Amino acid sequence: MDLAQFSQQLINGISLGSLYGIIAIGYTMVYGILRLINFAHGDVMMMGCFFAYYGILMFSLPWQFSFIIAIALTAILGIIIDRGAYRPVRKAPRISALITAIGVSFLLENAGIVVFGGRQKAFFRPEMFDSIITFHGIRFLNLAIYVPIITLTLLGIILLIIYRTKVGRAMRCISHDMETTRLMGVDVNRVIAITFAMGSAAAAAGGILWALKYPQINPLMGIIPGLKAFVAAVLGGIGNVGGAMIGGLILGLAEIMLVAIRPDLSGYRDAIAFGILIIILLFRPTGLFGEKLPE
Amino acid sequence: MLKIRDLNVHYGGIHALKGVTLDVPESKIITLVGANGAGKSTLLRTISALVTATSGSIKFTGHEILGMESHDIVQDGIAMAPEGRKVFVNLSVSDNLLMGAYNRKNAGEIKTDMEWIYSIFPRLEERMSQQAGTLSGGEQQMLAVGRALMSRPKLLMLDEPSLGLAPLLISEVFRVIGQIHDEGTTILLIEQNAMAALNIADYGYVMETGKIVLEGTGRDLLNDERVKKAYLGESI
Ligand SMILES: Nc1ncnc2c1ncn2[C@@H]1O[C@H](COP(=O)(O)OP(=O)(O)OP(=O)(O)O)[C@@H](O)[C@H]1O
Ligand SMILES: [Mg+2]
């Protein structure tokens, strides 16, 4: 592999990895606060894509508006899922919430098939993201540059909210000790709702970028990116927002590089994520940047 | 100010509070003493709605607060420094204090109150940007009390503030409780250190296995033979 090829794969890897990362943030935020793996998160991402799709197709909105409205609707969907599915089992044993999450996931996937139809739909790629850049023998879609810029900007905004605002401080307190946070006068359910909204909005943004990159959408499209993002979150240390992005980048680069170096192994691409997951769970369950878990 | 009537609490099959009746009049220090497992923390946690009561009534400034949510109770004017301090170890000292003022909007007042807390606990001021987890046990206790005060409560509930502290620090904690009371806050104090608690309190209750078994002024209880035998003998 020469330098040009390497650079090309690097760009592809970063672009893919930052998508895993932005989706992983939703997993890690919800886990940090509720100790819940929100298995429906990948499906929430899928819903974001469909909201954007129908915004353009049915309501003929300009794509910018459609994307922003889709992100907002997905944030609301996240709040509704928390309110309707997770809050009722908040005090039940953790396994109940986990099973509920799997139920929500199936519900979204199957409702998606009924409402949107199971067939692939072509996602609209605006011209802005559709030009090929050639540079010293490297060729790539300019989208590959936009993706990391957009995702890192979103990460920055999310980190600002978590570390520089009052509600963010409450999130950090809840993740450390929910009961004592209540004693501070914090409406914990409200903060949890905001957490779901933020994670779901990030997933929608990630999903839309995903759909721009692979412009075919269907109701089951969230499953694989969702699983990969989950691995990225575990790799980065679940509960750690910056770690989720780094985990995503590592995973994306590992996948792209494996295929670049050994094209004959490209069929095993999806296996990398699960190999990483197994290794991490065996040797370092708290991930690369995870804090030592209490208890 | 706080009127608890015939309060019952169950943890599954355990009957933790068995018809507790207790009053905290305005601007007094009331103490509740009792052995391990008597149900003292359960009472405070029920007032703060961390635990749900099975029956009974808790009235605060005239209205029922049983059934309200924890954050609304804080808003109403009841704050607690919980057993075991429970400071947010990953936050700085000043951020811990800000958490105590979560529902307050007026930044100027919050700042004034932080200065007030720092004047009560000068050690906290020296360590304001340090992570709370790096504080000593005594300093964490001061932070827990200061944090509870930051909501400007009408009623401050303290769950064993002297727990695990060296004797010198214990007297410091009791001095501060006196000072906070003098500045106008009503206090409900839970202690195993019955001697010190009854000394400072206007009125005291003794709890055993979920029931109030004795009550009286601090002085009366200090002189009561049963109290002396059960609680004072071991704590001196
Ligand atoms: N979450 C819980 N689940 C089940 N039982 C509990 C729970 N919390 C307390 N208990 C039980 O309720 C009883 C009263 O406990 P509580 O913590 O109120 O006692 P306490 O008077 O505060 O004791 P200490 O002085 O040791 O703090 C004990 O028998 C305890 O085992
Ligand atoms: Mg206790």
Side-chain angles (χ1 to χ4, degrees):
Chain A
M1 188 161 58
D2 62 19
L3 187 64
Q5 279 173 326
F6 179 77
S7 315
Q8 172 132 23
Q9 302 306 343
L10 196 65
I11 291 169
N12 290 340
I14 289 174
S15 157
L16 177 65
S18 62
L19 284 179
Y20 291 152
I22 196 77
I23 301 168
I25 286 173
Y27 274 112
T28 227
M29 284 182 76
V30 166
Y31 183 87
I33 236 171
L34 289 180
R35 304 292 180 265
L36 164 72
I37 306 288
N38 179 14
F39 277 115
H41 192 59
D43 306 302
V44 169
M45 172 206 122
M46 171 275 291
M47 293 296 288
C49 293
F50 274 93
F51 290 150
Y53 174 84
Y54 283 111
I56 297 171
L57 192 81
M58 288 175 64
F59 303 99
S60 346
L61 295 171
W63 61 268
Q64 298 93 330
F65 283 122
S66 163
F67 289 179
I68 288 170
I69 289 170
I71 290 171
L73 285 177
T74 313
I76 294 169
L77 176 68
I79 295 174
I80 292 172
I81 290 174
D82 170 52
R83 186 64 242 249
Y86 299 143
R87 200 197 287 189
V89 293
R90 198 94 88 212
K91 293 201 171 112
R94 216 176 286 171
I95 187 78
S96 312
L98 210 61
I99 293 167
T100 306
I102 294 170
V104 173
S105 170
F106 286 163
L107 177 72
L108 290 177
E109 286 164 16
N110 290 294
I113 291 174
V114 172
V115 177
F116 310 136
R119 246 188 268 149
Q120 294 277 11
K121 293 187 159 49
F123 197 80
F124 168 74
R125 185 189 281 163
E127 251 171 64
M128 180 180 162
F129 302 117
D130 210 13
S131 68
I132 303 277
I133 297 180
T134 9
F135 180 80
H136 290 290
I138 317 172
R139 276 171 55 85
F140 54 90
L141 202 59
N142 66 348
L143 182 69
I145 301 293
Y146 281 112
V147 167
I149 292 174
I150 294 170
T151 51
L152 289 179
T153 308
L154 289 174
L155 171 69
I157 295 171
I158 289 170
L159 287 175
L160 270 180
I161 294 175
I162 295 176
Y163 288 98
R164 288 281 177 277
T165 68
K166 198 159 112 169
V167 72
R169 194 187 298 132
M171 285 174 188
R172 286 179 285 141
C173 288
I174 293 174
S175 105
H176 174 247
D177 181 346
M178 185 181 297
E179 204 165 68
T180 305
T181 311
R182 287 187 202 279
L183 288 179
M184 304 296 108
V186 176
D187 183 347
V188 166
N189 280 330
R190 193 169 157 269
V191 177
I192 292 173
I194 295 171
T195 308
F196 270 91
M198 285 170 64
S200 304
I208 291 170
L209 290 171
W210 186 280
L212 291 173
K213 195 169 158 71
Y214 309 104
Q216 297 267 318
I217 65 172
N218 72 72
L220 302 183
M221 66 176 282
I223 298 175
I224 289 292
L227 283 171
K228 302 272 182 74
F230 170 65
V231 174
V234 174
L235 177 59
I238 193 143
N240 181 325
V241 173
M245 181 55 79
I246 295 172
L249 288 171
I250 293 174
L251 182 59
L253 282 167
E255 285 187 356
I256 297 284
M257 288 300 172
L258 176 93
V259 177
I261 295 166
R262 294 282 304 272
D264 54 314
L265 292 182
S266 63
Y268 291 96
R269 185 173 142 170
D270 288 346
I272 293 185
F274 304 108
I276 290 180
L277 182 63
I278 290 168
I279 292 169
I280 293 222
L281 291 180
L282 283 178
F283 297 105
R284 199 178 157 84
T286 55
L288 296 177
F289 309 100
E291 293 168 35
K292 231 173 47 192
L293 294 175
E295 291 126 57
Chain B
M1 174 179 255
L2 186 75
K3 286 185 192 301
I4 301 177
R5 291 293 171 269
D6 200 22
L7 188 67
N8 284 285
V9 172
H10 292 80
Y11 293 114
I14 302 172
H15 197 174
L17 293 185
K18 302 165 185 161
V20 170
T21 291
L22 180 149
D23 281 301
V24 184
E26 186 154 3
S27 73
K28 299 279 193 249
I29 302 187
I30 303 303
T31 190
L32 173 65
V33 298
N36 286 113
K40 308 180 297 294
S41 301
T42 301
L43 180 66
L44 288 203
R45 293 164 57 78
T46 311
I47 298 170
S48 286
L50 296 177
V51 171
T52 317
T54 346
S55 66
S57 147
I58 304 178
K59 286 214 165 86
F60 182 63
T61 57
H63 64 276
E64 185 65 47
I65 59 167
L66 212 58
M68 279 169 55
E69 288 200 61
S70 298
H71 60 268
D72 292 325
I73 290 172
V74 176
Q75 192 89 307
D76 248 20
I78 304 183
M80 159 161 45
E83 184 172 9
R85 298 148 200 161
K86 302 283 175 68
V87 297
F88 298 110
V89 291
N90 47 343
L91 263 58
S92 69
V93 168
S94 55
D95 278 356
N96 267 274
L97 292 177
L98 284 176
M99 278 308 292
Y102 193 80
N103 280 326
R104 297 174 57 189
K105 300 278 176 314
N106 187 322
E109 282 177 24
I110 293 175
K111 195 157 179 293
T112 315
D113 280 356
M114 271 182 109
E115 275 153 22
W116 169 56
I117 303 289
Y118 288 143
S119 73
I120 306 176
F121 303 112
R123 278 151 166 276
L124 294 184
E125 182 162 30
E126 292 161 25
R127 294 163 174 75
M128 57 190 268
S129 39
Q130 200 168 314
Q131 280 214 334
T134 64
L135 298 180
S136 76
E139 290 158 358
Q140 290 192 8
Q141 187 62 63
M142 295 170 192
L143 181 55
V145 174
R147 184 182 64 179
L149 284 172
M150 282 302 288
S151 66
R152 273 283 176 182
K154 299 181 190 126
L155 171 65
L156 173 67
M157 307 194 294
L158 303 170
D159 194 343
E160 302 205 27
S162 74
L163 189 74
L165 301 186
L168 209 66
L169 269 175
I170 294 183
S171 51
E172 168 74 6
V173 165
F174 278 97
R175 186 191 63 72
V176 167
I177 293 172
Q179 181 184 346
I180 294 165
H181 171 246
D182 291 343
E183 291 179 30
T185 310
T186 309
I187 292 175
L188 174 56
L189 169 68
I190 284 190
E191 264 301 334
Q192 284 197 42
N193 193 333
M195 180 78 163
L198 291 171
N199 250 319
I200 195 178
D202 296 298
Y203 200 80
Y205 293 84
V206 180
M207 184 181 256
E208 264 171 29
T209 56
K211 282 200 196 97
I212 303 289
V213 292
L214 266 180
E215 59 180 281
T217 61
R219 185 174 323 209
D220 284 352
L221 290 180
L222 276 174
N223 293 325
D224 187 287
E225 286 307 320
R226 288 164 294 180
V227 175
K228 275 187 183 164
K229 217 189 237 155
Y231 301 103
L232 301 181
E234 58 196 27
S235 65
I236 298 175

